[in-house]
Amino acid sequence: MSKNIKPTKYDTNVVHRLNEVKQWIEDGWTDEQISNELDINPSTFYDYQKKHPDFAKATQRLSKWETHVQPRLKEIQQWCCEGLTDDVICEKLGIVPSTWYKYQNEHPTLKEVVNWGKSVMDSRVENSLLRAALGYEFEEVKTIIEEDKNGKKKTRVEKVKRYQPPNPTAMIFWLKNRKKDEWNDRREVILDTKQSEEERKRLFLEMIEEDNDTIDAEYILIEESADSQADET
């Protein structure tokens, strides 16, 4: 004669509420809150997850990769292009740096997005460094509003072409990184005399000071607004 099997709390409190459990998970309830609602202990909650696949499925939570990172890949790419640090990006995503690096190792898509975005910013910096090292021309634009004796305002646009001389610091930095064997400091080299060492330092400081000067070009282009031309006629 078979004995009657006493129903467990899973049979009486849980199995008929799986749809509710799934909704609570989506709403962000904690395991403790769900356990309390089902009138079971948290330890029983985890035991049911191991023993009952349907309960394990209902209580499965999305990872922060699915909720915090994957939906924002385009933003992450833009942040990397703008030069934001990893710490700032993590703060924006609501994750810790260890999780950020873990996801990069686990998800090639994220790694590709980060590398591409950072390479864009690196290229911009490299181009700016090279430009500073070689010197460059630039146009300075000034908009001047003047008032004549009758009280009428005239707008005048001045365009001045200037030249920024090569930056010795940028030149040295570039050469030390691109031609290390020839330009890196060699500690084993000893200068002949203290006097020659002081002379080298003086010449180098003079080169650095020249970086603060800009040279005006030979011409100034002045444009007047249509309003001012009409006034003169």
Side-chain angles (χ1 to χ4, degrees), residues 50-233:
K50 296 177 182 178
K51 292 181 177 179
H52 303 283
D54 50 354
F55 185 69
K57 185 176 180 180
T59 56
Q60 184 177 6
R61 300 178 186 275
L62 295 176
S63 67
K64 283 198 171 183
W65 161 255
E66 297 167 292
T67 58
H68 290 57
V69 180
Q70 190 176 33
R72 307 186 71 181
L73 289 177
K74 287 186 178 180
E75 291 178 85
I76 292 171
Q77 181 175 321
Q78 183 61 36
W79 295 335
C80 291
C81 288
E82 293 172 358
L84 271 64
T85 64
D86 290 341
D87 287 342
V88 173
I89 293 175
C90 289
E91 185 177 347
K92 285 180 173 290
L93 295 174
I95 61 176
V96 297
S98 60
T99 301
W100 168 250
Y101 299 124
K102 174 174 174 285
Y103 286 162
Q104 287 189 58
N105 291 329
E106 293 178 350
H107 303 282
T109 302
L110 175 62
K111 188 68 173 179
E112 183 178 349
V113 164
V114 171
N115 288 342
W116 187 90
K118 289 187 176 182
S119 69
V120 171
M121 178 55 67
D122 290 343
S123 296
R124 290 176 181 172
V125 174
E126 288 174 356
N127 291 335
S128 296
L129 176 64
L130 178 58
R131 191 164 175 256
L134 298 178
Y136 57 91
E137 292 184 349
F138 65 96
E139 192 174 67
E140 184 178 272
V141 180
K142 294 182 179 180
T143 302
I144 302 172
I145 300 176
E146 298 175 336
E147 192 173 299
D148 62 18
K149 60 183 179 179
N150 297 320
K152 292 184 178 181
K153 292 182 179 180
K154 295 194 302 182
T155 301
R156 181 160 55 90
V157 178
E158 289 185 0
K159 296 181 180 180
V160 182
K161 193 170 185 180
R162 300 185 183 278
Y163 176 70
Q164 178 67 41
N167 184 321
T169 304
M171 294 167 64
I172 294 169
F173 184 85
W174 180 276
L175 290 171
K176 282 187 175 182
N177 283 275
R178 296 288 290 239
K179 303 189 72 176
K180 296 180 180 180
D181 292 340
E182 298 177 37
W183 287 90
N184 264 359
D185 292 330
R186 299 175 182 269
R187 296 184 180 275
E188 68 272 16
V189 175
I190 301 176
L191 298 176
D192 294 337
T193 64
K194 183 177 180 181
Q195 182 178 359
S196 63
E197 179 181 5
E198 294 298 328
E199 180 65 16
R200 286 168 58 88
K201 289 181 179 179
R202 185 185 65 79
L203 292 174
F204 178 76
L205 290 174
E206 288 179 358
M207 293 174 63
I208 296 298
E209 290 174 356
E210 291 176 1
D211 179 43
N212 295 324
D213 299 327
T214 57
I215 303 174
D216 290 353
E218 297 180 354
Y219 70 90
I220 297 178
L221 177 63
I222 300 178
E223 298 178 357
E224 292 189 356
S225 66
D227 292 341
S228 62
Q229 293 176 3
D231 292 340
E232 293 176 359
T233 58

